[in-house]
Amino acid sequence: MSGIELLQIWIMAFLTLALLSFLYKDNPAYKLAEHIFAGLSAGYYVGLIWDTVIVQQLWEPLIAGKVLLIIPGVLGILMFGRFSQQYSWISRVSLAFVMGTTSGIFLVTQLHGLVLAQMRSTMRSMAGADGFADLMLSLVIVIGVIATLIYFYFSKEHKGILGGTAKVGVWFIMIAFGAHFGYTVMGRVSLLIGRVQFLIQDWIGSFNQII
Amino acid sequence: MQQMDRRWVYLMVGISVIIPFLLPMTLPVSITPEARMLYDFVEALPDSSTVMLVFDYYPSTIAECEPMTIAAMHHFFRKDCRVITLSNIPLGGPTMAEAVTRAIAEEYGKVYGVDFVNLGYKANYVAVLSGMGQSIESIFPTDNSGTPLSQLPLMHSVVNYEQIAFIFEVADNATADYWVSIVNAGYGVPMGCGTTAVSAPKYYAFVDAGQFVGLLGGMKGAAEYEQLINRQGDAMVGMGAQSLVHLLIIALVIIGNLGFFVGGIGKRRRIG
């Protein structure tokens, strides 16, 4: 292990312990680590965007002769109008372009790729069931989808059959929340495991390099 | 019970995580059908297929996501697949891709530019995913280290998604949705997904709908894939701690509820 690698490990260990120290109470070490993270992230992000977007996808092709790139370049510059109260309206031209293209792309892709595909899958789940158990599971999915959608139907008061179905929908939503909560616990614990693994294996493991 | 300082809970969780590393315990990991399906799909790919491995996760979720990319990379290289990596995450994505691929490639004697390429990062994932359907080179004129794609032999035979046999998206955010809606639905490229545990429940529906060939959910999913490729990694090591903390949390939930109800009954009796 080189000296630089050793230094990296010790910096990582200090920042990890500084951030975990917040669990006891707020303190200057935690604040320092938090500010380093915010500053480094912002600096890194600006540098990365400058290099990968402005230089590689705008400036270099532009000087190579792709003159049409002037249009997105100018639209990008117009966004800076937001820094001036007098000229902030200029940025609306670029924003209108961004909103138009984004909604155009998203409308088609989300509908085609997510909504229709999931609807098709739900409708077909019973027809394609493999055996009795699979059919029952498919039935649960179909009932769950319909009951949950009815719960989110607010144009009629939830009474009678509608109210009963909405209550079934609430049960499905609660079960889904439970599954999400269980997975969230697992996810958060995994992050702690990752840090502890680093501290024990890499940081404490590096002690023998120093001694 | 309800007056207990929550820092005692943090301490108990911390100790439960540390113990399995000091006294290693190997617990069995059951394989879910979703992980098995993913493994079987990769296993069935023709040798030397070109695949994409997408590092769409931040360094904060390395513990969950990196074991997945490492395991997938081993599987791809064992099958002699040619691997293209990229990231839609600015902070750390391309660097993690570089670190993971270089280390594993060395193990298998794979050559950069011939057997694997790291395209790096480009902003605006919607434009990136859509644009690669026409031409990967138009979106990534160079690789992560600035080498023009025209100088990389692997990229001579890869123009767009048509030459990609499989995409494995490892994500800790909603980019998987866009890969499905833009790339899988739009171009028909088969996809698998590895995601953090927090996001996993949402993506099971994508497997059922046939939009993902399989799914790995969190550290458990990563451990399953490590077991499937028969190579113990960080996820399998971490599962001991995971199980112990889960037992602790179950115990705390039970004790907390008992305390709440017993305390409540006591209060009601006093009032009565």
Side-chain angles (χ1 to χ4, degrees):
Chain A
M1 193 183 290
S2 70
I4 291 289
E5 282 172 331
L6 204 61
L7 182 67
Q8 276 178 340
I9 287 172
W10 276 76
I11 292 172
M12 285 161 73
F14 167 72
L15 293 173
T16 301
L17 292 171
L19 286 167
L20 287 176
S21 69
F22 184 77
L23 293 175
Y24 183 68
K25 66 176 186 180
D26 202 355
N27 62 76
Y30 169 77
K31 286 263 187 270
L32 176 72
E34 194 184 28
H35 286 91
I36 288 173
F37 176 71
L40 273 179
S41 304
Y44 182 80
Y45 191 67
V46 169
L48 194 69
I49 295 292
W50 176 263
D51 184 47
T52 58
V53 180
I54 308 292
V55 174
Q56 284 184 23
Q57 285 190 306
L58 180 65
W59 182 248
E60 285 176 355
L62 198 64
I63 56 172
K66 289 188 176 174
V67 287
L68 278 178
L69 285 173
I70 287 176
I71 298 169
V74 169
L75 284 171
I77 291 167
L78 294 185
M79 290 289 268
F80 288 98
R82 295 193 74 79
F83 291 118
S84 154
Q85 271 192 333
Q86 195 182 349
Y87 298 108
S88 66
W89 61 271
I90 295 176
S91 65
R92 288 186 205 151
V93 178
S94 316
L95 282 174
F97 185 81
V98 171
M99 287 176 71
T101 50
T102 308
S103 48
I105 291 171
F106 273 66
L107 192 71
V108 178
T109 56
Q110 298 286 304
L111 193 66
H112 177 60
L114 297 180
V115 180
L116 292 180
Q118 289 298 318
M119 277 174 66
R120 195 165 45 236
S121 166
T122 308
M123 288 172 191
R124 281 184 185 168
S125 63
M126 285 180 73
D130 182 19
F132 182 73
D134 202 26
L135 182 71
M136 287 298 109
L137 284 174
S138 303
L139 192 65
V140 169
I141 290 172
V142 172
I143 292 170
V145 170
I146 293 170
T148 307
L149 284 173
I150 284 176
Y151 172 75
F152 287 104
Y153 180 75
F154 302 119
S155 299
K156 200 170 185 301
E157 200 177 346
H158 286 179
K159 278 182 177 173
I161 295 175
L162 196 73
T165 317
K167 270 186 187 156
V168 175
V170 171
W171 274 97
F172 275 96
I173 294 168
M174 290 300 146
I175 291 167
F177 284 159
H180 273 281
F181 178 70
Y183 266 105
T184 304
V185 168
M186 184 169 96
R188 299 298 177 246
V189 170
S190 300
L191 303 187
L192 178 64
I193 290 170
R195 287 296 79 200
V196 170
Q197 211 165 1
F198 161 75
L199 288 172
I200 292 176
Q201 290 171 356
D202 297 343
W203 182 52
I204 296 177
S206 75
F207 286 5
N208 59 4
Q209 299 271 320
I210 299 166
I211 301 164
Chain B
M1 176 67 71
Q2 288 162 57
Q3 306 301 321
M4 192 175 85
D5 192 331
R6 63 182 172 185
R7 285 175 290 195
W8 286 111
V9 177
Y10 297 152
L11 185 66
M12 283 188 274
V13 170
I15 291 169
S16 306
V17 170
I18 291 168
I19 287 172
F21 287 104
L22 302 178
L23 306 165
M25 50 172 85
T26 312
L27 297 170
V29 176
S30 58
I31 309 291
T32 56
E34 290 78 14
R36 169 74 63 188
M37 283 155 64
L38 181 66
Y39 173 83
D40 288 344
F41 187 90
V42 175
E43 199 59 25
L45 284 173
D47 286 352
S48 306
S49 298
T50 304
V51 297
M52 259 186 187
L53 179 57
V54 189
F55 288 69
D56 278 350
Y57 57 91
Y58 287 89
S60 55
T61 54
I62 264 186
E64 286 185 279
C65 297
E66 197 167 85
M68 294 179 195
T69 51
I70 290 173
M73 204 72 197
H74 277 286
H75 199 187
F76 290 147
F77 278 154
R78 276 183 201 172
K79 288 207 47 81
D80 270 332
C81 289
R82 302 185 306 161
V83 186
I84 298 171
T85 61
L86 66 133
S87 177
N88 292 296
I89 299 297
L91 298 177
T95 319
M96 290 186 291
E98 195 76 21
V100 167
T101 48
R102 296 269 181 189
I104 299 170
E106 209 176 297
E107 206 175 304
Y108 290 87
K110 300 290 181 183
V111 180
Y112 184 78
V114 178
D115 302 303
F116 68 104
V117 163
N118 181 14
L119 296 178
Y121 163 81
K122 277 285 181 296
N124 193 343
Y125 47 82
V126 176
V128 169
L129 303 192
S130 306
M132 285 198 296
Q134 305 301 315
S135 159
I136 293 174
E137 198 173 5
S138 68
I139 302 295
F140 292 95
T142 66
D143 71 355
N144 189 45
S145 49
T147 309
L149 293 200
S150 55
Q151 292 177 18
L152 302 168
L154 166 55
M155 298 310 290
H156 292 169
S157 56
V158 180
V159 179
N160 52 35
Y161 293 128
E162 278 181 33
Q163 290 77 40
I164 305 295
F166 175 63
I167 297 172
F168 185 45
E169 154 84 342
V170 181
D172 65 0
N173 54 76
T175 46
D177 291 16
Y178 303 108
W179 278 98
V180 166
S181 60
I182 296 171
V183 182
N184 175 264
Y187 298 92
V189 187
M191 285 192 64
C193 183
T195 181
T196 48
V198 176
S199 314
K202 174 183 170 184
Y203 291 114
Y204 280 102
F206 289 71
V207 181
D208 282 343
Q211 293 172 291
F212 285 147
V213 299
L215 176 73
L216 304 181
M219 186 179 266
K220 164 77 165 49
E224 289 171 37
Y225 210 78
E226 283 176 358
Q227 194 161 310
L228 283 164
I229 64 164
N230 200 21
R231 185 187 175 279
Q232 182 171 326
D234 285 348
M236 280 176 81
V237 173
M239 282 312 289
Q242 186 81 255
S243 304
L244 204 62
V245 176
H246 284 190
L247 286 175
L248 173 72
I249 290 170
I250 291 168
L252 288 173
V253 168
I254 293 169
I255 293 167
N257 276 282
L258 280 175
F260 176 79
F261 285 113
V262 171
I265 290 164
K267 266 183 197 168
R268 278 196 291 275
R269 276 183 187 157
R270 277 196 295 277
I271 292 164

